[in-house]
Amino acid sequence: AAPGNVTDEKHQPLVVEDQAGNETALVENQLFARLGGSLVLWERLRLGATLPIALYQSGESAVMNGQTFTPPGEAAVGDLRLSADVRLLGAHRDVFSLASGVRAWLPTGNRAQYPGDDAVRLGGHVMAAGEISRFVYSARLGVVYRNLEEGFGTTVLGTDMPFAVTAGVRLLDDALVVGPELSGSTVLVDGGAFHSTTTPVELLFGGHYTAGDFRFGAGIGPGLSNGVGAPQVRTLLSFEYIPHIEVDSDNDGVPDDKDRCPHERGTDSGDPARWGCPADGDGDGVNDTEDACPGVAGVASAESGKNGCPADDDGDGIPNDVDACPQSAANTPDGCPVRPGDEDNDGVPDASDACPGVAGEKSEDPTLNG
């Protein structure tokens, strides 16, 4: 569970231009507090809720195409957002992970005060994220259905496609992440796709710092288009409380976030790469409970009697690394078939072998050869 708040201030997010080219800030300044929280279940499903509250709004009346628009009041409640995301591929802090989710906005706000639609909105999205050494990245693309029968003046409003791309670098023992974020949306109906006034785009540079169970964030950046909702500049501050709850799925005493084998009961090994994994005394990657040769490093095999034992391609009982003839089965000292004229089969012909009846080694000294 992670409750938190994001407070952001937008300067001139809605500017109206009349036929003479004069600009009026219908919404001059907005200060929002976004109260929310999330709950992660089974390390895969995340449920969340966010309620935006406009603490302060200001602006001036504006006329566009003969229609008068009034500025917002000083405070208003926005539309409550409910969300659910599920991780499809990868795990936390993998090089690549993929997730999908849905969102719903309930009409708790008032459109006349600008924070709401006066109608239910529904959306779906896909997200990708990952880490490569200290570099982190994410991307999100979605579609939000908006049942709006009228636009804003001459600007089309309706179903849109939000998008975002972020990148960052981890610093200070991974506690601090800093980097840019590019985000925006574009209207998909009535020819509004990627038109300048229907495609608000923003760039933020910021970061967040984690201290124990708390995370603090800040950011600032400009709007990059004149799309409705893109501010001249946005600043934000965030605060989250993320209590650390240790989960140990296999009950081996090693928390899942450190357990390299979270679903296999293991031990707190001195090797970080084997934390929480079953014992492997010879370090060959085959757990001792399944290793037919637990005291000798070997290789994995589908045959239980050979699993974890040194490779023996010809099956003569002599491992490949000491078998002089690894592809020829022979129950001889060096693993090779019996050689004519070599009684002890040590590779030294009897005529030159100082010990022809006992397997030995080749030597330059005739009295020791064989």
Side-chain angles (χ1 to χ4, degrees):
N5 172 58
V6 177
T7 301
D8 70 297
E9 194 276 337
K10 294 182 286 186
H11 179 62
Q12 292 190 353
L14 188 54
V15 177
V16 174
E17 182 177 331
D18 62 21
Q19 294 179 342
N22 300 313
E23 294 185 345
T24 302
L26 180 58
V27 180
E28 177 75 15
N29 293 291
Q30 282 184 318
L31 177 63
F32 271 89
R34 305 179 190 275
L35 306 177
S38 63
L39 177 66
V40 176
L41 302 173
W42 309 294
E43 301 180 23
R44 189 169 295 273
L45 174 65
R46 180 177 61 200
L47 305 176
T50 304
L51 180 66
I53 301 174
L55 303 176
Y56 174 78
Q57 299 187 99
S58 66
E60 300 180 35
S61 296
V63 177
M64 184 167 53
N65 293 333
Q67 184 178 358
T68 300
F69 294 89
T70 58
E74 291 194 357
V77 174
D79 289 343
L80 174 66
R81 186 186 72 182
L82 305 177
S83 62
D85 301 305
V86 61
R87 178 165 47 85
L88 305 174
L89 296 174
H92 178 57
R93 302 191 69 167
D94 274 359
V95 172
F96 176 81
S97 63
L98 182 69
S100 180
V102 294
R103 292 181 288 176
W105 289 259
L106 306 183
T108 54
N110 185 343
R111 189 180 182 191
Q113 296 298 318
Y114 298 96
D117 260 16
D118 285 341
V120 173
R121 282 177 281 165
L122 299 173
H125 56 267
V126 292
M127 301 174 288
E131 297 193 17
I132 304 173
S133 185
R134 292 189 175 276
F135 174 75
V136 298
Y137 70 90
S138 70
R140 183 180 72 251
L141 182 66
V143 174
V144 176
Y145 170 72
R146 302 178 70 184
N147 184 20
L148 297 176
E149 296 181 354
E150 59 181 27
F152 178 75
T154 59
T155 301
V156 175
L157 297 179
T159 297
D160 60 16
M161 181 178 68
F163 54 85
V165 179
T166 68
V169 177
R170 288 190 179 275
L171 304 170
L172 302 181
D173 292 329
D174 292 350
L176 176 66
V177 178
V178 294
E181 174 182 321
L182 180 70
S183 63
S185 65
T186 189
V187 175
L188 298 178
V189 297
D190 298 332
F194 299 106
H195 189 276
S196 61
T197 59
T198 59
T199 309
V201 180
E202 299 180 49
L203 178 65
L204 280 174
F205 184 85
H208 55 77
Y209 179 79
T210 302
D213 291 342
F214 300 93
R215 180 179 294 163
F216 307 89
I220 186 170
L224 302 181
S225 73
N226 62 348
V228 171
Q232 188 176 84
V233 63
R234 180 198 297 264
T235 57
L236 65 83
L237 297 172
S238 65
F239 167 79
E240 294 174 273
Y241 172 59
I242 311 173
H244 180 68
I245 301 175
E246 288 192 345
V247 178
D248 183 10
S249 299
D250 52 18
N251 295 313
D252 60 1
V254 182
D256 285 0
D257 58 354
K258 295 181 179 179
D259 199 327
R260 297 298 183 181
C261 303
H263 301 295
E264 291 182 83
R265 191 178 179 86
T267 61
D268 190 356
S269 168
D271 179 6
R274 296 284 302 171
W275 278 344
C277 292
D280 177 18
D282 54 20
D284 59 4
V286 180
N287 300 334
D288 286 352
T289 55
E290 302 172 355
D291 198 327
C293 303
V296 181
V299 296
S301 171
E303 296 183 46
S304 59
K306 296 182 178 180
N307 194 25
C309 293
D312 178 16
D313 291 345
D314 54 18
D316 58 6
I318 302 176
N320 289 348
D321 57 350
V322 294
D323 194 330
C325 302
Q327 304 303 321
S328 298
N331 189 19
T332 57
D334 64 354
C336 291
V338 174
R339 302 178 181 90
D342 182 8
E343 179 184 350
D344 54 18
N345 208 53
D346 62 0
V348 180
D350 290 345
S352 305
D353 197 327
C355 303
V358 182
E361 298 179 357
K362 293 181 180 181
S363 173
E364 297 294 329
D365 183 346
T367 64
L368 299 176
N369 192 25

